[in-house]
Amino acid sequence: MNESLIACPAVLALELAGGEPPERLELTRDEAQILAGLMADDLRALLPGVEASRLAVAGALFDGVELLRPGFPVFATLEELARRVPRVTTAGGVVAFGTHEGHMPAQPLVPDPAYVGGPMRLLPWMVLAPADLAEELTARMEVELVGRGEAGTATADFLMRTLGMRLEHARYLSRDDLLALTCVQYEHVNLAPLWTMLEAALLTPYQEETALGSRGLPLHYAEGRVGIPGPSAWFARAGTQRDNPVHEFAGTLFELRQYAALLAAHHVPLHLEGQPASTAGYLVEAVADADPTLPTPMLYAHEAAGLGMAAITVAQPAPGKARVLAHGYPLAPDALAPLLDALAGRYGTASELHALGRLLLDADGALSAPAPALH
C-alpha cells in the first residue's frame, strides 16, 4: 500500500516577530502529534479531500538552507519514516515525529543551531497521496497554499505557547513555493548567479550549468559541485580591472566568500577547476613548483578592508622578483589557521607570516609578493 503513495512535500513557514528566536527548535513526540492534528484541520479547510492522503509532520524548526540541500535529506527522511508507519486499511491518517528522551528519530531531522538567527523558521511536512490523487493534489497545493495558506489561529497559538516565540505570520507553502521564495531572496541581494548553481544542484543534479558572478567570475556546476578558475590567474587574464584593480579584485574575493558560505550551508561543495572539492573552508591556487636553488618559501598575507586577510601568497625571494608558488584563499571565518598549516606543509615554508597591509598585485593584476632589493 505504502509504495503506491506519492510524496507532496511542503513547509509551515513561521515569520518571527522582532527577530526573536524560539526557545527551542524541536517538539516532543506528544507535542508534534498535537500540532499535526491542528495542521490536519487547517489543511482539510484549504485542500478539501486531503484526508484521503497521509499527513506526515516533522516536529522541528529549520532554516531554509537546511531544507534546500541536494537530495532534500530532511524531506527524504520524513518520507521514509512516514512510510514505515503501518496503516493497513487506508492511505490516510496523521503521523508526526518529535523527540523521545531528548532525541529526534533520525539525525537529518535535527536542526542545526548555527542557522537559528534568521527571521523565518520552517517546519517540514508532506502529504503521501494515493497515486490517482497525487497530481491533482500537487496542483491544488501550488495554487491554494501560496494564495490563502495562512495557518489557523489554534495552530499558531499552539506553536507560540509551546516554543516560546511570537509570530508575525504562519503560512503553509509547497516546497516549490519555498524554492521560488528563496530564488527571489537571493536575487534581491545580488546573488542570482549563485541561485543558478543551487537550483541545478537541487533540481537537475545530472546536468551541467554555468553562470557568471556579478564581477564576471565564471561558475560551473557539474557532478554535484561548483567549480571556479583560480581567482588570481583569472583576474589577471580576464577580470574587469578598470581604474583600480586592487579594489576590483577585493570585490571579487568578497563575492567569492559570500558564495562559499552559502554553498557550504546548502551542502554543495566548491572547488578550483581541475582540483578536488574542498570542505576545509579555503582554496589553494597552485602557480609554480619551488626552485631548489632559491631560498625557503615565505608566506605573505594580503589584506583588504572588509576582508581582513584576503589571501595568502607563498613565494620564494629571488633577486628582483619573487617566485610565486601558490595563493591560498580563506573563505570561512575559521579557515585561516588550517590554510596556513596546509601551505606550510605543502611548500615547507618558514613559519613567520609577513603582513603586507594591502592587496599586492603585479602589473597584470595577479597576486604577487615583494621583490627583494637588488644590491
Side-chain angles (χ1 to χ4, degrees):
M1 183 71 179
N2 278 0
E3 296 307 315
S4 65
L5 299 179
I6 307 298
C8 308
V11 297
L12 178 54
L14 308 174
E15 187 179 340
L16 304 177
E20 298 173 13
E23 291 175 359
R24 53 192 169 101
L25 300 177
E26 299 167 346
L27 295 167
T28 67
R29 275 199 309 210
D30 290 344
E31 291 166 345
Q33 198 64 46
I34 294 169
L35 174 64
L38 296 170
M39 292 173 62
D41 292 341
D42 293 344
L43 293 171
R44 278 191 290 270
L46 290 166
L47 303 166
V50 73
E51 57 271 16
S53 303
R54 174 175 296 180
L55 172 65
V57 174
L61 306 185
F62 294 89
D63 185 84
V65 298
E66 299 177 272
L67 299 186
L68 301 182
R69 288 171 173 169
F72 299 104
V74 173
F75 290 108
T77 302
L78 177 59
E79 179 182 352
E80 180 186 352
L81 292 173
R83 288 184 184 277
R84 289 184 195 168
V85 178
R87 183 81 179 187
V88 179
T89 57
T90 174
V94 177
V95 295
F97 303 96
T99 60
H100 176 61
E101 297 179 350
H103 299 285
M104 293 295 285
Q107 184 59 36
L109 297 187
V110 179
D112 186 340
Y115 300 111
V116 76
M120 183 177 288
R121 303 303 296 175
L122 302 168
L123 187 140
W125 59 276
M126 65 178 55
V127 288
L128 292 167
D132 57 342
L133 297 179
E135 187 173 343
E136 182 208 349
L137 179 59
T138 299
R140 284 200 291 137
M141 285 172 65
E142 299 299 339
V143 173
E144 298 296 338
L145 296 187
V146 75
R148 58 187 193 94
E150 198 75 18
T153 303
T155 303
D157 284 350
F158 176 79
L159 281 165
M160 288 191 286
R161 189 172 64 252
T162 305
L163 295 178
M165 59 183 177
R166 295 182 301 124
L167 296 176
E168 291 282 357
H169 297 286
R171 177 173 291 274
Y172 296 99
L173 299 172
S174 72
R175 188 172 68 192
D176 283 351
D177 293 333
L178 177 60
L179 284 162
L181 177 65
T182 307
C183 172
V184 170
Q185 289 173 335
Y186 283 5
E187 288 178 345
H188 182 68
V189 292
N190 206 28
L191 292 172
L194 179 81
W195 178 252
T196 300
M197 298 292 97
L198 289 172
E199 190 174 43
L202 294 169
L203 301 181
T204 55
Y206 42 84
Q207 293 182 0
E208 294 192 25
E209 187 62 78
T210 59
L212 291 177
S214 66
R215 292 177 177 271
L217 185 71
L219 307 172
H220 177 214
Y221 172 83
E223 299 180 348
R225 56 190 192 153
V226 174
I228 61 167
S232 177
W234 165 78
F235 188 72
R237 182 180 67 252
T240 304
Q241 300 191 14
R242 297 193 179 93
D243 297 331
N244 189 341
V246 167
H247 176 76
E248 296 294 336
F249 189 61
T252 298
L253 294 183
F254 180 80
E255 183 176 77
L256 180 57
R257 284 193 184 178
Q258 286 184 299
Y259 289 174
L262 281 166
L263 287 170
H266 286 278
H267 286 192
V268 178
L270 177 68
H271 71 112
L272 293 183
E273 295 281 14
Q275 296 188 22
S278 170
T279 57
Y282 61 80
L283 297 173
V284 176
E285 177 182 5
V287 177
D289 293 329
D291 183 339
T293 67
L294 293 177
T296 301
M298 300 170 68
L299 296 174
Y300 298 92
H302 301 268
E303 297 168 89
L307 289 171
M309 289 195 184
I312 306 295
T313 289
V314 185
Q316 289 177 286
K321 184 178 182 181
R323 179 179 176 83
V324 173
L325 306 183
H327 309 296
Y329 304 95
L331 301 178
D334 56 354
L336 182 60
L339 169 61
L340 293 174
D341 288 344
L343 293 174
R346 186 182 304 188
Y347 294 99
T349 66
S351 58
E352 185 181 358
L353 181 62
H354 301 269
L356 300 174
R358 60 191 176 104
L359 276 175
L360 181 60
L361 304 181
D362 66 16
D364 296 322
L367 286 172
S368 188
L374 291 170
H375 296 292

